[in-house]
Amino acid sequence: MGLYPGKALADARAMAPDIAVLRANEPADLKLLEHIADWCERYTPLVALDLPHGLFLDITGVSHLFGGEAEMLIDIRRAITAQGFSIRLALAGTPEAARALAHHAPGTIVTPGGEAEAVATLSTEALAADPQIIHALKRAGLKTIGQVAERTRHELAARFGKSFITTLDGMLGKVRAPLTPRTPVPDLMAERRFAEPIVSADVIEAALLSLGESLSQVLESRGQGARAVEASFFRADGQMRRIAVETGEPTRDPKRLLRLFREKLDTLADPLDPGFGFDLIRLSALYAQSLEAESIGFDTNAADRDIKYLVDNLSARFGPSRVMRFQAQDTHIPEAAAVAVPVQHADPDKVAWARLRLAEEAPRRPLRLFAKPEPIDVLAEVPDGPPLRFRWRRAQHSVAQAEGPERIAMEWWRQPGLTRDYYRVEDERGRRFWLYRDGLYAREQSASRWYVHGLFA
């Protein structure tokens, strides 16, 4: 009808008075395209977006699972058409050639190395180049891709630039640009297809356990364990749902993974809805690590293993970012000496001083520090004596005992600051405080201030 995207609405209505006009919703279109891309992962994990309305599927090495390339295209067309979408498909050795054939010769299946012959008769508009380049090619009498390919590369590069040459070589099958998948390719995966869609929770759990056992066998043969496992549920009506769990240490125990998935499924705000049933369930090991053989003896600490299991269960139920631990850092600055990280992602303490304190020794620092040190008014001996009396939050405290100073210099290579002198003090009522003087009296009299940084239990 002579209509195309970007045409003026008035011109379009003049050519087709009965045309229906709807306001475009590009975010909704993108979301829908991503849903279709998720569903297409049943064919291959290598799925990339070709905006605004296309998808690339790298089916290298998987077409035989669907009866060959022709049968695979028929299955894709049938399944997506059944969802109410119009679709144009083509298969080629490069993304550029596949895109051009899908738009201008849908249904084409190019034999390996036959891209140049397949696209030779296509119009230059199939190059998807800048409209000015297409216009210049037509003015030069080059109306098909084959005619453009006959010209020398030097001539085309001088006129249209190197990027046009790259596009043309990809169209002719001479250069194959790698696809960038939407989701990372898992290290390992196992899947199960069902002749009839399943809806029963017991059958779904049995399928997850069976897939976990299959995954465990492969992991065991490689001497690895999974740290992150994702279950993908493909519904018969085109919807797809991902559920992922993590562990604090590598594992290949299928029953443990099933327990984690149960915890995750029981706490989903949006429960897993089978709808008309799942016809494909896939279990993927997103991240695998080496798993060393562990000898079990009489001195094995079962409590540590139970704690790790508990952490994994709590993380699956509430989320990894809600089960935290303090991770020691290589710094002596009190407020930066430890950071809260998810327990499953925490590393063993890497600084020796974090474990130097003996069990019977009193803590040198409070277990909890104030988020921000609070200023106080102090009466102290000059130049660098301990505090004798201080006022904090409108209350007066007389110091009965004081220990210090513990001098800490700021890390000048990161954030220059004043030198701190820390004191552990106890008032007349037995309450213990952690105070510090910010700045040395002899050098920084004007900048010297006192703060309370924490309280001892």
Side-chain angles (χ1 to χ4, degrees):
M1 298 177 65
L3 304 180
Y4 55 86
K7 192 177 187 65
L9 179 59
D11 295 340
R13 280 177 168 162
M15 300 173 64
D18 297 334
I19 189 172
V21 179
L22 301 175
R23 183 175 296 275
N25 190 341
E26 295 182 359
D29 289 343
L30 177 59
K31 186 176 181 180
L32 177 60
L33 185 63
E34 290 176 342
H35 282 312
I36 300 175
D38 288 338
W39 182 85
C40 285
E41 289 187 15
R42 65 172 53 224
Y43 298 104
T44 171
L46 301 176
V47 180
L49 297 181
D50 181 30
L51 298 176
H53 305 301
L55 294 175
F56 285 127
L57 278 66
D58 189 342
I59 62 170
T60 304
V62 300
S63 59
H64 67 280
L65 301 175
F66 301 90
E69 296 174 344
E71 292 296 327
M72 185 176 184
L73 291 189
I74 292 174
D75 185 69
I76 295 175
R77 178 183 291 106
R78 176 192 55 77
I80 297 184
T81 303
Q83 300 176 33
F85 299 104
S86 298
I87 180 173
R88 290 180 290 182
L89 294 170
L91 181 60
T94 63
E96 294 83 0
R99 180 202 294 120
L101 293 170
H103 282 274
H104 299 272
T108 302
I109 299 178
V110 181
T111 57
E115 286 77 18
E117 182 181 355
V119 303
T121 59
L122 298 184
S123 169
T124 53
E125 295 178 352
L127 290 169
D130 186 273
Q132 295 182 356
I133 295 179
I134 302 300
H135 181 68
L137 291 174
K138 290 182 177 181
R139 290 191 60 183
L142 305 177
K143 298 182 180 180
T144 64
I145 296 178
Q147 293 175 343
V148 176
E150 293 175 356
R151 308 305 288 263
T152 62
R153 292 295 185 272
H154 176 73
E155 178 184 356
L156 294 174
R159 179 66 177 84
F160 304 113
K162 293 183 179 180
S163 61
F164 177 77
I165 299 301
T166 303
T167 301
L168 180 61
D169 288 342
M171 191 76 64
L172 300 176
K174 297 181 179 180
V175 176
R176 180 175 180 178
L179 291 180
T180 303
R182 297 177 53 251
T183 57
V185 179
D187 293 342
L188 296 169
M189 66 180 184
E191 64 181 32
R192 183 175 178 182
R193 298 178 183 272
F194 303 93
E196 294 292 335
I198 61 173
V199 296
S200 171
D202 294 337
V203 178
I204 293 174
E205 287 191 2
L208 286 176
L209 181 60
S210 176
L211 292 173
E213 293 172 348
S214 300
L215 208 59
S216 175
Q217 294 176 2
V218 180
L219 289 170
E220 185 176 4
S221 65
R222 297 189 176 191
Q224 294 180 323
R227 287 287 305 273
V229 181
E230 180 184 76
S232 302
F233 302 89
F234 295 84
R235 283 187 3 184
D237 61 354
Q239 299 295 319
M240 196 270 269
R241 185 76 179 274
R242 306 177 196 269
I243 306 294
V245 296
E246 298 182 22
T247 60
E249 61 181 2
T251 182
R252 49 175 178 256
D253 183 357
K255 295 182 178 179
R256 181 180 177 185
L257 294 175
L258 180 59
R259 286 196 299 269
L260 294 179
F261 276 113
R262 283 175 180 168
E263 291 284 348
K264 190 77 171 182
L265 293 172
D266 290 342
T267 58
L268 289 176
D270 182 14
L272 184 66
D273 181 15
F276 294 103
F278 300 117
D279 58 359
L280 171 63
I281 296 179
R282 177 183 296 157
L283 198 63
S284 305
L286 301 180
Y287 178 43
Q289 280 185 339
S290 298
L291 180 59
E292 302 295 337
E294 181 180 354
S295 60
I296 301 177
F298 292 106
D299 58 345
T300 302
N301 191 350
D304 291 343
R305 183 173 63 253
D306 293 340
I307 290 176
K308 292 177 181 178
Y309 289 174
L310 175 62
V311 167
D312 290 341
N313 290 338
L314 293 176
S315 298
R317 176 170 288 272
F318 302 110
S321 61
R322 295 181 178 272
V323 186
M324 313 289 285
R325 67 159 288 184
F326 287 106
Q327 180 76 57
Q329 302 295 301
D330 289 324
T331 178
H332 288 278
I333 308 303
E335 56 266 32
V339 295
V341 297
V343 182
Q344 293 178 319
H345 300 163
D347 297 326
D349 291 335
K350 59 183 178 179
V351 286
W353 60 264
R355 300 186 298 272
L356 285 179
R357 186 177 64 83
L358 301 178
E360 62 274 8
E361 183 183 355
R364 296 183 177 274
R365 295 182 178 182
L367 295 179
R368 295 291 296 273
L369 301 179
F370 294 151
K372 184 178 180 181
E374 300 182 11
I376 56 177
D377 297 326
V378 174
L379 176 63
E381 297 179 358
V382 177
D384 53 1
L388 303 176
R389 187 183 302 110
F390 65 93
R391 180 184 295 274
W392 175 55
R393 294 182 179 178
R394 300 183 181 180
Q396 190 77 19
H397 301 269
S398 297
V399 177
Q401 299 183 56
E403 182 180 1
E406 176 189 359
R407 181 161 293 178
I408 299 177
M410 296 295 101
E411 298 168 343
W412 56 267
W413 61 92
R414 292 182 178 175
Q415 49 179 7
L418 303 178
T419 301
R420 296 180 182 179
D421 280 349
Y422 277 88
Y423 293 89
R424 290 184 291 174
V425 303
E426 182 179 326
D427 67 3
E428 70 281 0
R429 296 185 180 181
R431 292 172 293 191
R432 305 182 68 209
F433 304 85
W434 203 40
L435 314 179
Y436 74 86
R437 178 178 53 238
D438 198 14
L440 301 179
Y441 182 84
R443 295 185 311 182
E444 303 151 349
Q445 297 185 29
S446 60
S448 181
R449 292 289 308 275
W450 283 86
Y451 296 87
V452 57
H453 204 166
L455 303 177
F456 291 92

